[in-house]
């Protein structure tokens, strides 16, 4: 029987090195207590932040020091919890850390409203009196920009205190989908029992036996059917929270509120959806080619993940994947490449799936730690690409920390997904240029097409879904399980017009955790569009374009996202990068079609 191993069965070299943050949980506890005591130091400045330039600098530096410590405490607790979501001790630790972070945010909530009591001219006078405030110039500009949407100190404090409550639906969903739901075990064509999990579901849908794929598909979504009302209630209340918080901050819509944070015009969102909708013919062509490759009368939803190559992909052991990725990053410069190689040797990555582990993948860590990458590596090409993706995030953080103070060390998701997808695109180019094995090359090309399909098309479908769901809530329409299913199925039918869209796929929205971060997913689509343009420039122009890209990574959040991307030579205020990405998708689709 195939089963997911216990964490204790996995070798230490394939686990992330959380002991580099705190050697023991007792050390974490001591850090927690120390940070908790410092919160009052910041709160004592309330009402005084803008008394003079020196005080404002003290407040900002104290706030940053405190948040640095809180982020490290919270990150450690979260990652321990993600190692095994059934471990109640670490769940409690993570909950305490979230409460601490909320308390710190509440204590700091006076800072921005007090800065907003200033005019730009008054801040300029403070700059003349205290030159060290220059560090915070862009930050203050951003705070003043948000003045119409920032409430009084009392209201901001209340909203900060309520952040645990307003974000609770995502936590409930996470516990349901990763800890409490038990997916069935199915028998594969060889008679072996296979346990379906969140991590291996898509991989099982790549198996060559069509009846087995159908069995997996139906069993998986039938399990979601058993909790559909719970998930619908969870998502409905998540959407309600988005809408109410947007209105509390004087926005007309939740989408406007979400996009205004990073200063991205809603027109960018609309341009993405319109451009993708205008190019659905390419996706329809992809679906039709899958039908032909499978030699079936009708493409079904359990066929969507099957490769155009018509056979199961080659195994890619983790150590092989590491070497491919390091080699692929050579165009970004020797220093960049070496840093990735060193990180992979320094236990940045928690590699394999274990019982109770958080599904999916992410890049974590803080300003004061090394990067940490959660994986559920499955020894295939897709997992190799996921590793390259997360390493892009990690290197973005590393290069930003090298050049920027803490206040600019984070970066908006809008630009974060560029760094991750640049790595993927470089990996594709490298493998197609250097690997002689024709089967491997066909699968690499197929992986590229699937990445574009699932990133540019699929995430835009998701973006349409959550936009329409929020519009229904804003119009006072009920978000029932049936309504959400109908909305999702309608989109699926339009995007996959040549295929048979059955009723079970209407529940697919239930398995998407990103919906609990409102208006997040569209940035995967804009990110891959920008990334493909950057990689084209790097490969054509060499070091000059690579240097521009590295500068973009080093800038962190010191400029607004669209301005940052212009440093790298991309203008996302237009449809051009999206159209270029879709053209590349169409060209490579025909290239693979001619091979298979």
């Amino acid at each position: 029987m195939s089963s997911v191993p216990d964490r204790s069965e996995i070798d230490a070299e394939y686990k992330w090195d959380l002991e580099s943050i705190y050697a023991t949980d007792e050390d974490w506890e001591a850090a927690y207590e120390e940070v908790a005591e410092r919160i009052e130091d910041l709160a004592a400045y309330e009402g005084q932040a803008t008394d003079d330039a020196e005080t404002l600098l003290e407040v900002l530096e104290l706030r940053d020091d405190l948040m640095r410590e809180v982020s490290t405490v919270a990150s450690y607790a979260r990652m321990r919890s993600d190692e095994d979501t059934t471990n109640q001790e670490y769940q409690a630790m993570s909950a305490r850390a979230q409460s601490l972070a909320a308390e710190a945010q509440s204590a700091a909530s006076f800072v921005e409203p007090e800065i907003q009591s200033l005019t730009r001219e008054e801040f300029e006078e403070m700059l003349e009196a205290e030159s060290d405030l220059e560090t915070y110039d862009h930050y203050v500009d951003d705070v003043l920009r948000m003045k119409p949407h920032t409430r009084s100190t009392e209201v901001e404090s209340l909203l900060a205190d309520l952040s645990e409550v307003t974000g609770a639906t995502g936590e409930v969903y996470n516990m349901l989908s990763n800890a409490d739901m038990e997916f069935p075990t199915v028998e594969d064509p060889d008679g072996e029992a296979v346990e379906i999990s969140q991590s291996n579901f898509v991989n099982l849908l790549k198996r060559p036996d069509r009846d087995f794929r159908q069995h997996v598909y139906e069993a998986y979504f039938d399990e979601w059917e058993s909790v559909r009302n719970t998930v619908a209630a969870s998502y409905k209340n998540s959407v309600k929270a988005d809408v109410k918080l947007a209105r509390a901050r004087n926005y007309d819509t939740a989408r406007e509120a979400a996009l205004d944070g990073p200063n991205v015009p809603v027109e960018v969102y609309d341009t993405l959806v319109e451009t993708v909708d205008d190019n659905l013919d390419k996706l329809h062509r992809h679906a039709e080619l899958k039908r032909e490759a499978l030699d079936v009368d009708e493409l079904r939803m359990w066929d969507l993940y099957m490769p155009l190559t018509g056979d199961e992909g080659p195994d890619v052991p983790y150590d092989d994947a590491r070497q491919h990725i390091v080699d692929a990053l050579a165009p970004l410069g020797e220093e960049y490449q070496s840093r990735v190689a060193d990180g992979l040797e320094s236990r940045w990555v928690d590699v394999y799936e274990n019982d109770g582990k958080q599904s999916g993948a992410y890049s974590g860590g803080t300003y004061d730690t090394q990067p940490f990458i959660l994986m559920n590596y499955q020894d295939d090409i897709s997992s190799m690409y996921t590793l390259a993706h997360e390493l892009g995030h990690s290197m973005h953080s590393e290069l930003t920390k090298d050049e920027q103070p803490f206040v600019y060390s984070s970066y908006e998701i809008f630009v974060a997904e560029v760094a991750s997808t640049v790595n993927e695109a470089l990996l594709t180019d490298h493998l197609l240029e250097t690997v002689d094995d024709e089967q491997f090359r066909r699968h690499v090309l197929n992986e590229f097409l699937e990445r574009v399909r699932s990133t540019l098309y699929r995430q835009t479908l998701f973006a349409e879904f959550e936009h329409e769901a929020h519009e229904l809530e804003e119009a006072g329409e009920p978000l029932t399980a049936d309504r959400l299913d109908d909305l999702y199925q309608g989109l699926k039918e339009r995007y996959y017009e040549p295929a048979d869209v059955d009723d079970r796929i209407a529940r697919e929205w239930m398995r998407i955790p990103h919906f609990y971060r409102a208006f997040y997913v569209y940035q995967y689509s804009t990110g891959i569009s920008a990334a493909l343009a950057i990689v084209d420039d790097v490969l054509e122009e060499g070091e000059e374009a690579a240097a521009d890209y590295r500068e973009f990574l080093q800038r962190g959040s010191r400029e607004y996202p669209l301005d940052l991307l212009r440093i790298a030579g991309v203008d996302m205020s237009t449809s051009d990068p999206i159209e270029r990405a879709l053209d590349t998708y169409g060209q490579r689709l025909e290239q693979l079609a001619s091979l298979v």
Side-chain angles (χ1 to χ4, degrees), residues 329-334 422 426 533-551 567-568:
L329 299 177
L332 298 183
E334 184 178 349
V422 161
L426 286 171
I534 289 169
V535 169
D536 283 347
D537 292 342
V538 168
L539 295 178
E540 290 177 9
E541 301 172 17
E543 174 56 25
E544 182 177 354
D548 289 342
Y549 174 65
R550 293 195 302 269
E551 182 183 353
I567 294 173

Side-chain angles (χ1 to χ4, degrees), residues 7-20:
R7 187 166 182 82
S8 63
E9 300 176 58
I10 298 174
D11 291 342
E13 66 178 302
Y14 297 114
K15 299 177 186 176
W16 51 20
D17 183 19
L18 296 189
E19 290 78 12
S20 65

